[in-house]
Amino acid sequence: MARDEMLTIVQVIEEIGVPRATFYRWRQCKKGPKSIKLPNGAVRIRRSELERWIATLEEAA
């Protein structure tokens, strides 16, 4: 089984093509993909979670 890649916020916003401020607003409103806050304060998003979140947007469109 392949390892579920942990993406940084920079990688995620580059992939989905939104400004950083938009992504942080989505996180605040609980509209973005689920994220993981590491003990050092860094935030990561699992590749599988990003894909699941995008799929829910497709279904809602």
Side-chain angles (χ1 to χ4, degrees):
M1 185 170 145
R3 207 173 120 244
D4 197 3
E5 185 181 8
M6 300 283 271
L7 304 169
T8 64
I9 288 179
V10 170
Q11 290 172 306
V12 171
I13 63 176
E14 283 177 4
E15 188 161 323
I16 62 177
V18 298
R20 181 184 294 256
T22 299
F23 185 80
Y24 278 108
R25 190 170 61 250
W26 290 348
R27 282 193 68 217
Q28 241 181 351
C29 298
K30 306 277 191 241
K31 292 184 177 184
K34 291 179 190 171
S35 57
I36 300 162
K37 191 164 193 172
L38 301 176
N40 66 357
V43 175
R44 298 288 182 271
I45 294 100
R46 291 184 193 276
R47 163 77 54 200
S48 61
E49 170 56 21
L50 179 60
E51 291 172 359
R52 182 206 63 78
W53 177 73
I54 290 171
T56 64
L57 296 176
E58 289 174 346
E59 291 165 11

